[in-house]
C-alpha cells in the first residue's frame, strides 16, 4: 500500500485531514475504524465461517449418498450439521458478507464519502460480529454439542431436554450468539443507512446512486426493521430455556413427567421467526441484485435498462417482504383466509422480481458483452435466481405448498434462489472489485474454471432435488430407508448429487488459491481496469488509502450508467466528469422504455 | 420511516464554501469522531440525529414485537392478572419529570444559558435514576406478592419489558454521565460543543418516556 495522499501539500491542513490516520499495527489492522479495513475483516471472517458451513454440507451429503457407512455421522450429528449449516450460511456468511463486507467497502467509495458516518460504531459492529461467531462455535464444546433443532429453531423441540440434540447449552449459546449478531447488525445497519443519507458527495442525488448502493441501502433498512423480531423471539426462547418461563412452551408431558411449562404458544415463535426470516432472504438477495446490476451494465457497455424501475422494484420488494412471512407457516393450522392473503402477497413479489429480471436481460440484449469472470458470475446469478425463484410461485400457493412443504422441493427452491444466487453474486463482486481492493489482478483462467465448475455443479446439486422433492423425499431426514414411496433411482440421484457437491467443494480450492496467489503475485492493476463509471474506480490511489479521496472530495455530475454515450470520446463517462454528452436515459424520469 | 430531512449535497461542502479558513475544500470534520470546534456541529448534529432516529425505529420494532406477543399470549387461559402496583404511577411521574427536565436543559443550552443547562441536565439525570430505583422497588413488591420471573406469563412479560426498557435507560444514563463530565467542566463559551450530546440525550429520553407509557398502558389497562 502506498502512503496516504501522495502530493498532498503539507500546508493544507494535513494534520486535520489525516488526524485519524492510524499508524500502529493494532489501530491499523485490528481495531481499525477505516471502512475498508473493517470490510476486509468482515470478508475474511465470513469466508472462513462459510468454509465450516460448506464442510457440514459435505458431511450431510456423504450421509445421504452412503447412509450409515460413516460412523462419524450419527442421526444426532446429522441434525446438528444441518442446523449449523443453515444458520451459518444464512446469517454468519451471507448477511455478514453482503452487508458487513460489501456494504462497508462499497458505500463510502461509491457515494464519494471519506468513511462511514460513525467509524467507531463500525469497528464495534465488526468486533461484536466476531464475538457472535465465537459464541456460535463455543456451542461445539459444551455438553450435548450444538443445537440440532433446525435453523428455524422452532420450540418446543429446540429447547426441551432430549427433544433434539444440543437442546440445552447448544441452543442457549446459539440464541446468545444470535442476539449478539443482531446487536452487530444494528450497529452496522445504522451506519450504512445514515452514511447513504448524509454523506453523499456533492451532486450525488439518490437517483444517481449505483444500484449496488441501492440494494445494500434497502437491505440495511430491512435489517433494522427485521432483526428486532429475531432478537425478541430469541430472548424469549432463551428465557423459556434458562428461566423456565412459558412464552412458547405449552404444557408438556415428557416420558410421563410433566415439565414446568404451561400454556405457551409455539406458533407465536414461528410468527416472530418468520417476521424476521422472510425479510432476511431479501437482506441477502437485494445487495447481490445491486452488485449484479452494476456488473452487467459495465460488461455490456450499456446503461442499465430501466434504472428507475430497478430502484422502484428494490423498494417494492423491500416493502412486500414484510407482508408475506406466514407463507412459511401454511401447515401450522392457520385460518384459510389468512393463508389466502399471504398467498396473494407472496405472488405479488413476483412482479418486481420479474421487472428486475427483464431489465437484466434487456441490458444484456444487444450489448457489447465482455465475458470476464465477474460477468459470468453475474449472468449465472440471473439464471439461478430464475431457476429458484419460479418455484416460489408454486410454493406460494397454499394448496401446492401443503404437499411439498418439508420435502426436497423446498430445499431445491431456497438453495437456488437465495443460497446459490447470493453466493454467485458474492463471487461476482469479489472478482469485480478485487483489482480495486487489492491493487492486483486475479487470474482470469482460474476464475473462469472456478465459475464453470461452480455454476454447472450447483445446478447438478440442486436442480434434481426438485424431482426428489416431488417424489416425496422428506427434508431433514437422516436416512430415507423408511420412505417407501421413493423409487430406487432416487438413491442413485442422491449419489450423483453428492459427487457434484464434492466437486463444487473442490472448485472452491481453485478460488482460494487464485485469491491468495493473486494477492501476492497477481499482475499490478490499474485504477480502473473495467473502464467503469462509478466513483470507487476514480480514487486517486489503488487500493484507496485512508480518507479515500486525497485532498478534495469528488463532485458528481451524472448517474453511474453513462456507458457508450453517443458522441463521447470514450465508451464510458465517469460520474465525476463534468459536461459532455450524457445518456438520454437519465434519472430525470425520461427513461426510454 | 421517520428520518430527518437531509440535503442531497454533502452538508460539509457548503460549510467549506462559506469562508471556512481551513483551506480550499479542507475536508476537516469529515470524520464524525473528530472533535472540532462548534462550526462543525450542524452537520455532525444532523448525522448523529439521523443515526439516533434510526436506532429509535429499531428499538420501536423491538418493543412493538414484545407488546404484540404480550397481546397474543394474554389470550392463554393460564394468564393471571398482576397485582396493581401503585408505585408504577410514581415511577411514571419520575420519568415524565426527567424527560421534561432534559427538554428544558436542551432549550437552555440552545439559548446559551450554561447555569440553567447544568441545573436541569443534572435534575433530569437524577429523576431518571429515581425512576430506575422505583422500578427495582416495583420488582421487589411483585416478587413479594408471589410473582417471580416464571410464575406466570404476565409476570414474565412484566419483568422482560421493564428490564429491556430499563437497560435502554441505563445505557442512556451512561451516555448522560459521560456528557456530564464535559458539561460540568465547560467554560461558558463552549456550550455549543456539548450541544450535540444534550440534543441526543433529550431525544432519547423522550423516546424512552413514550415507550414506558406504552408498556405501562398495556400492563395497567390491557391485562
Ligand atoms: C454447495 C453448497 C451447498 C450444499 C451441498 C448444501 C447442502 C445442504 C443439505 C444437504 C441440507 C440438508 C437438507 C436436509 O436434510 O433437509 C441443507 C440445508 C440447508 N441449507 Fe444448504 N447447501 C449448500 C449451500 C447453502 C447455502 C449457500 C445456503 C444459504 C442460504 C444454504 C442454506 C441452507 C439452509 C437454510 C438449510 C436448511 C437447514 C434446516 O433444514 O434447518 N445452503 N443444505
Ligand atoms: Cu419467505
Amino acid at each position: 500500500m502506498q502512503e496516504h495522499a501522495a502530493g498532498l501539500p503539507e500546508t493544507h491542513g494535513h494534520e486535520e485531514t489525516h488526524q485519524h490516520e492510524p499508524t500502529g499495527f493494532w489501530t491499523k489492522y485490528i481495531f481499525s475504524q477505516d471502512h475498508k479495513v473493517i470490510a476486509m475483516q468482515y470478508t475474511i471472517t465470513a469466508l472462513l465461517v462459510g468454509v465450516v458451513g460448506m464442510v457440514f454440507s459435505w458431511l450431510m451429503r456423504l450421509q445421504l449418498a452412503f447412509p450409515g457407512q460413516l460412523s462419524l455421522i450419527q442421526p444426532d450429528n446429522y441434525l446438528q450439521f444441518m442446523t449449523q449449516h443453515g444458520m451459518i450460511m444464512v446469517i454468519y456468511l451471507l448477511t455478514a458478507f453482503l452487508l458487513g463486507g460489501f456494504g462497508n467497502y462499497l458505500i463510502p467509495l461509491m457515494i464519494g464519502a471519506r468513511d462511514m458516518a460513525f467509524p467507531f460504531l463500525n469497528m464495534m459492529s465488526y468486533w461484536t460480529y466476531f464475538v457472535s461467531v465465537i459464541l456460535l462455535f463455543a456451542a461445539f464444546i459444551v455438553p450435548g454439542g450444538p443445537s440440532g433443532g433446525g435453523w428455524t429453531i422452532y420450540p418446543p423441540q429446540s429447547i426441551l431436554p432430549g427433544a433434539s440434540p444440543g437442546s440445552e447449552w447448544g441452543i442457549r449459546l446459539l440464541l446468545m450468539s444470535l442476539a449478539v449478531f443482531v446487536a452487530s447488525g444494528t450497529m452496522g445497519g445504522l451506519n450504512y443507512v445514515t452514511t447513504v443519507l448524509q454523506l453523499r458527495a456533492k451532486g450525488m442525488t439518490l437517483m444517481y446512486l449505483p444500484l449496488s448502493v441501492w440494494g445494500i441501502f434497502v437491505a440495511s433498512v430491512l435489517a433494522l426493521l427485521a432483526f428486532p423480531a429475531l432478537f425478541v423471539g430469541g430472548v424469549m426462547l432463551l428465557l423459556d430455556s434458562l428461566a423456565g418461563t412459558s412464552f412458547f412452551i405449552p404444557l408438556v408431558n415428557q416420558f410421563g413427567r410433566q415439565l414446568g411449562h404451561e400454556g405457551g404458544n409455539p406458533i407465536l415463535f414461528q410468527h416472530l421467526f418468520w417476521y424476521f426470516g422472510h425479510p432476511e432472504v431479501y437482506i441477502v438477495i437485494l445487495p447481490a441484485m445491486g452488485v449484479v446490476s452494476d456488473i452487467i451494465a459495465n460488461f455490456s457497455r450499456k446503461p442499465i435498462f430501466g434504472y428507475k424501475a430497478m430502484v422502484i422494484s428494490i423498494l417494492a420488494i423491500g416493502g412486500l417482504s414484510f407482508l408475506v412471512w406466514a407463507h412459511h407457516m401454511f401447515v401450522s393450522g392457520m385460518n384459510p383466509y389468512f393463508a389466502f392473503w399471504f398467498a396473494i402477497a407472496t405472488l405479488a413479489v413476483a412482479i418486481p422480481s420479474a421487472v428486475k429480471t427483464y431489465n437484466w436481460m434487456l441490458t444484456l440484449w444487444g450489448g457489447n458483452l465482455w465475458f470476464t469472470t465477474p460477468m459470468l458470475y453475474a449472468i449465472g446469478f440471473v439464471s439461478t435466481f430464475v431457476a429458484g425463484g419460479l418455484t416460489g410461485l408454486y410454493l406460494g400457493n397454499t394448496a401446492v405448498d401443503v404437499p411439498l412443504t418439508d420435502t426436497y422441493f423446498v430445499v431445491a427452491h431456497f438453495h437456488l434462489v437465495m443460497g446459490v444466487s447470493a453466493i454467485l453474486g458474492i463471487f461476482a463482486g469479489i472478482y469485480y472489485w478485487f483489482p480495486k481492493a487489492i491493487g492486483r489482478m486475479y487470474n482470469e483462467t482460474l476464475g473462469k474454471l472456478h465459475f464453470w465448475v461452480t455454476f454447472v455443479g450447483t445446478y447438478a446439486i440442486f436442480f434434481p432435488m426438485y424431482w426428489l422433492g416431488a417424489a416425496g423425499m422428506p427434508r431433514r431426514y437422516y436416512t430415507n430407508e423408511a420412505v417407501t414411496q421413493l423409487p430406487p433411482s432416487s438413491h442413485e440421484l442422491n449419489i450423483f448429487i453428492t459427487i457434484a457437491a464434492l466437486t463444487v467443494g473442490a472448485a472452491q480450492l481453485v478460488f482460494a488459491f487464485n485469491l491468495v496467489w493473486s494477492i501476492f503475485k497477481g499482475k499490478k492493476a490499474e485504477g480502473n481496469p473495467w473502464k467503469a463509471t462509478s466513483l470507487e474506480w476514480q480514487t486517486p490511489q489503488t487500493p484507496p488509502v485512508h480518507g479515500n479521496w486525497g485532498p478534495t472530495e469528488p463532485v458528481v455530475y451524472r448517474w453511474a450508467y453513462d456507458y457508450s454515450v453517443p458522441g463521447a470520446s470514450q465508451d464510458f463517462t465517469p460520474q465525476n466528469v463534468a459536461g459532455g454528452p450524457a445518456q438520454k436515459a437519465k434519472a430525470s424520469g425520461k427513461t426510454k422504455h | 420511516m421517520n428520518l430527518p430531512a437531509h440535503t442531497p449535497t454533502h452538508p460539509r461542502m457548503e460549510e467549506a464554501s462559506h469562508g471556512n479558513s481551513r483551506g480550499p475544500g479542507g475536508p476537516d470534520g469529515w470524520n464524525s469522531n473528530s472533535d472540532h470546534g462548534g462550526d462543525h456541529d450542524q452537520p455532525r448534529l444532523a448525522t448523529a440525529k439521523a443515526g439516533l432516529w434510526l436506532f429509535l425505529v429499531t428499538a420501536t420494532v423491538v418493543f412493538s414485537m414484545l407488546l404484540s406477543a404480550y397481546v397474543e399470549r394474554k389470550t392463554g387461559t393460564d394468564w393471571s392478572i398482576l397485582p396493581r402496583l401503585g408505585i408504577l404511577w410514581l415511577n411514571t411521574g419520575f420519568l415524565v419529570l426527567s424527560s421534561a427536565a432534559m427538554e428544558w436543559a436542551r432549550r437552555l443550552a440552545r439559548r446559551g444559558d450554561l447555569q440553567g443547562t447544568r441545573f436541569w441536565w443534572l435534575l433530569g439525570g437524577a429523576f431518571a435514576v429515581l425512576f430506575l430505583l422505583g422500578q427495582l422497588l416495583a420488582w421487589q413488591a411483585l416478587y413479594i406478592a408471589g410473582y417471580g420471573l416464571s410464575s406466570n406469563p404476565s409476570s414474565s412479560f412484566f419483568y422482560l419489558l421493564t428490564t429491556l426498557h430499563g437497560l435502554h435507560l441505563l445505557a442512556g444514563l451512561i451516555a448522560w454521565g459521560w456528557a456530564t463530565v464535559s458539561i460540568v467542566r465547560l467554560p461558558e463559551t463552549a456550550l455549543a460543543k456539548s450541544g450535540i450530546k444534550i440534543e441526543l440525550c433529550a431525544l432519547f429520553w423522550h423516546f424512552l418516556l413514550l415507550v414506558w407509557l406504552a408498556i405501562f398502558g398495556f400492563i395497567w389497562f390491557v391485562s
Side-chain angles (χ1 to χ4, degrees):
Chain A
M1 256 212 245
Q2 284 153 278
E3 265 313 293
H4 62 82
L8 183 79
E10 285 297 308
T11 53
H12 188 98
H14 179 197
E15 262 294 290
E16 281 171 0
T17 313
H18 290 281
Q19 66 171 341
H20 286 282
E21 165 108 50
T23 42
F25 171 81
W26 285 92
T27 44
K28 201 161 177 175
Y29 298 109
I30 309 296
F31 296 107
S32 169
Q33 300 187 20
D34 184 315
H35 72 103
K36 300 178 293 296
V37 178
I38 297 173
M40 290 298 172
Q41 293 174 323
Y42 259 113
T43 303
I44 295 167
T45 315
L47 284 179
L48 291 179
V49 177
V51 170
V52 178
M54 188 172 63
V55 170
F56 289 158
S57 79
W58 300 339
L59 294 174
M60 287 187 287
R61 280 316 318 174
L62 284 173
Q63 159 61 22
L64 291 171
F66 312 106
Q69 289 176 22
L70 288 116
S71 57
L72 167 73
I73 312 170
Q74 296 303 313
D76 274 3
N77 305 133
Y78 184 90
L79 295 175
Q80 290 170 320
F81 294 150
M82 177 193 89
T83 305
Q84 302 302 313
H85 161 80
M87 211 45 120
I88 284 177
M89 290 299 189
V90 175
I91 310 262
Y92 300 89
L93 167 63
L94 294 184
T95 308
F97 194 105
L98 287 156
L99 294 186
F102 282 166
N104 256 314
Y105 198 81
L106 296 178
I107 291 175
L109 283 170
M110 284 187 138
I111 68 173
R114 293 190 178 274
D115 206 311
M116 286 286 178
F118 312 112
F120 180 76
L121 209 60
N122 206 17
M123 174 185 84
M124 291 300 288
S125 166
Y126 170 74
W127 286 104
T128 322
Y129 164 62
F130 189 79
V131 171
S132 78
V133 170
I134 300 283
L135 286 170
L136 176 79
F137 288 128
F140 285 82
I141 53 173
V142 294
S147 169
W151 91 280
T152 47
I153 52 176
Y154 281 179
Q157 97 274 2
S158 62
I159 64 164
L160 289 192
S164 63
S167 60
E168 283 168 84
W169 283 104
I171 183 76
R172 288 170 195 161
L173 279 168
L174 179 58
L175 291 170
M176 290 177 207
S177 168
L178 287 172
V180 173
F181 185 91
V182 171
S184 153
T186 305
M187 289 190 260
L190 292 176
N191 236 326
Y192 312 148
V193 174
T194 311
T195 305
V196 173
L197 289 177
Q198 298 285 333
L199 299 191
R200 297 193 307 280
K202 189 170 184 175
M204 179 68 95
T205 65
L206 286 177
M207 293 311 271
Y208 279 181
L209 287 176
L211 287 168
S212 296
V213 177
W214 267 111
I216 295 167
F217 174 69
V218 175
S220 305
V221 173
L222 296 190
L224 291 178
L225 297 176
F227 278 154
L230 177 68
F231 181 78
V232 166
V235 168
M236 287 161 77
L237 194 56
L238 191 59
L239 286 175
D240 276 4
S241 169
L242 270 180
T245 54
S246 301
F247 291 113
F248 304 126
I249 307 295
L251 193 84
V252 180
N253 263 309
Q254 201 180 34
F255 309 124
R257 190 170 56 89
Q258 215 176 76
L259 304 181
H261 303 277
E262 190 188 346
N265 182 356
I267 302 288
L268 182 58
F269 180 83
Q270 299 193 8
H271 280 294
L272 288 170
F273 184 85
W274 287 112
Y275 181 87
F276 145 77
H278 187 83
E280 167 65 26
V281 311
Y282 291 106
I283 291 171
V284 307
I285 215 66
L286 287 177
M289 285 175 158
V291 164
V292 160
S293 306
D294 284 343
I295 293 176
I296 286 186
N298 178 300
F299 292 118
S300 304
R301 311 312 292 166
K302 274 178 66 185
I304 190 84
F305 189 92
Y307 173 83
K308 220 178 155 190
M310 289 300 233
V311 172
I312 293 170
S313 305
I314 291 177
L315 291 169
I317 291 175
L320 281 171
S321 72
F322 284 101
L323 305 175
V324 300
W325 77 90
H327 63 207
H328 297 276
M329 300 165 57
F330 283 149
V331 292
S332 68
M334 69 171 76
N335 182 323
Y337 290 107
F338 203 49
F340 177 74
W341 153 258
F342 280 103
I344 297 290
T346 302
L347 300 186
V349 180
I351 299 168
S353 310
V355 168
K356 296 194 75 73
T357 308
Y358 284 120
N359 283 348
W360 288 318
M361 309 285 249
L362 288 164
T363 306
L364 289 168
W365 185 261
N368 183 7
L369 303 187
W370 183 4
F371 289 108
T372 58
T373 306
M375 177 64 150
L376 292 175
Y377 269 108
I379 297 174
F381 169 96
V382 178
S383 158
T384 53
F385 180 70
V386 172
L390 281 177
T391 51
L393 296 177
Y394 296 38
L395 296 170
N397 283 288
T398 320
V400 186
D401 178 66
V402 168
L404 285 176
T405 197
D406 277 335
T407 68
Y408 264 70
F409 195 87
V410 175
V411 177
H413 159 70
F414 72 70
H415 273 101
L416 282 171
V417 76
M418 80 168 298
V420 175
S421 296
I423 293 281
L424 296 188
I426 284 178
F427 281 138
I430 292 180
Y431 284 109
Y432 186 64
W433 282 293
F434 185 91
K436 176 54 67 179
I438 306 297
R440 291 176 186 273
M441 298 304 287
Y442 60 86
N443 181 299
E444 195 67 58
T445 315
L446 290 181
K448 284 185 175 147
L449 177 69
H450 175 225
F451 168 77
W452 283 110
V453 180
T454 305
F455 179 70
V456 177
T458 45
Y459 262 104
I461 298 170
F462 294 112
F463 211 78
M465 289 187 188
Y466 281 133
W467 279 285
L468 289 174
M473 179 168 155
R475 170 182 179 193
R476 295 179 171 168
Y477 269 37
Y478 167 69
T479 167
N480 294 296
E481 275 158 21
V483 187
T484 45
Q485 77 265 33
L486 280 182
S489 59
S490 69
H491 184 62
E492 284 148 35
L493 201 49
N494 267 326
I495 295 178
F496 169 78
I497 291 175
T498 298
I499 293 170
L502 295 175
T503 313
V504 169
Q508 306 319 305
L509 295 176
V510 177
F511 169 68
F513 173 78
N514 195 354
L515 218 58
V516 174
W517 187 83
S518 306
I519 287 174
F520 296 105
K521 293 269 146 69
K523 190 160 66 72
K524 278 249 182 303
E526 326 152 27
N528 189 0
W530 311 125
K531 305 190 192 316
T533 54
S534 42
L535 289 181
E536 79 275 24
W537 300 104
Q538 326 302 335
T539 54
Q541 294 89 12
T542 296
V545 296
H546 189 74
N548 295 344
W549 305 108
T552 39
E553 293 174 21
V555 179
V556 170
Y557 298 95
R558 56 186 72 237
W559 71 339
Y561 301 99
D562 267 344
Y563 288 109
S564 307
V565 183
S569 56
Q570 42 186 0
D571 80 338
F572 71 105
T573 319
Q575 284 189 277
N576 58 349
V577 169
Q583 286 286 355
K584 270 223 308 280
K586 264 271 185 65
S588 56
K590 293 184 211 83
T591 344
K592 41 166 186 180
H593 292 297
Chain B
M1 252 187 11
N2 201 355
L3 291 175
H6 61 277
T7 38
T9 48
H10 192 309
R12 273 156 213 146
M13 299 301 267
E14 276 142 40
E15 221 177 59
S17 60
H18 48 244
N20 189 315
S21 58
R22 288 198 172 93
D28 44 4
W30 56 267
N31 186 328
S32 63
N33 255 8
S34 53
D35 218 57
H36 296 295
D39 298 355
H40 301 279
D41 281 357
Q42 269 334 94
R44 278 181 57 200
L45 178 60
T47 302
K49 261 197 167 167
L52 181 57
W53 270 107
L54 285 165
F55 177 72
L56 299 188
V57 170
T58 305
T60 306
V61 183
V62 169
F63 287 105
S64 344
M65 287 286 140
L66 272 170
L67 289 176
S68 333
Y70 176 94
V71 172
E72 157 61 35
R73 185 65 183 80
K74 191 173 68 66
T75 58
T77 47
D78 58 330
W79 185 272
S80 66
I81 295 174
L82 293 181
R84 302 265 157 141
L85 299 172
I87 191 173
L88 292 182
W89 285 99
L90 183 67
N91 294 348
T92 307
F94 283 145
L95 200 56
V96 170
L97 289 176
S98 177
S99 188
M102 294 301 259
E103 176 63 20
W104 205 239
R106 185 182 77 90
R107 296 194 179 186
L108 291 182
R110 286 209 160 175
R111 283 192 223 139
D113 175 352
L114 181 61
Q115 286 312 331
T117 307
R118 272 182 192 154
F119 175 74
W120 291 103
W121 171 262
L122 293 175
L123 201 63
F127 276 125
V129 173
L130 283 179
F131 170 84
L132 285 181
L133 293 176
Q135 294 289 80
L136 288 178
L137 287 179
W139 280 5
Q140 197 190 25
L142 198 63
Y143 191 75
I144 289 170
Y147 284 95
L149 175 57
S150 61
S151 314
N152 191 270
S154 56
S155 59
S156 307
F157 269 109
F158 180 84
Y159 286 111
L160 179 55
L161 284 163
T162 48
T163 305
L164 272 183
H165 177 263
L167 285 178
H168 278 78
L169 191 56
L170 202 60
L173 274 172
I174 291 172
W176 172 87
W178 175 62
T180 299
V181 176
S182 64
I183 290 172
V184 171
R185 284 209 199 127
L186 231 49
E188 191 89 22
T189 47
L191 189 56
K193 254 196 155 179
S194 289
I196 292 185
K197 294 170 193 161
I198 297 173
E199 293 270 339
L200 297 181
C201 270
L203 176 58
F204 194 49
W205 249 247
H206 301 338
F207 170 77
L208 288 181
L209 173 62
L210 286 180
V211 170
W212 169 248
L213 290 179
I215 294 175
F216 184 48
F218 272 85
I219 288 170
W220 202 269
F221 300 107
V222 196
S223 60

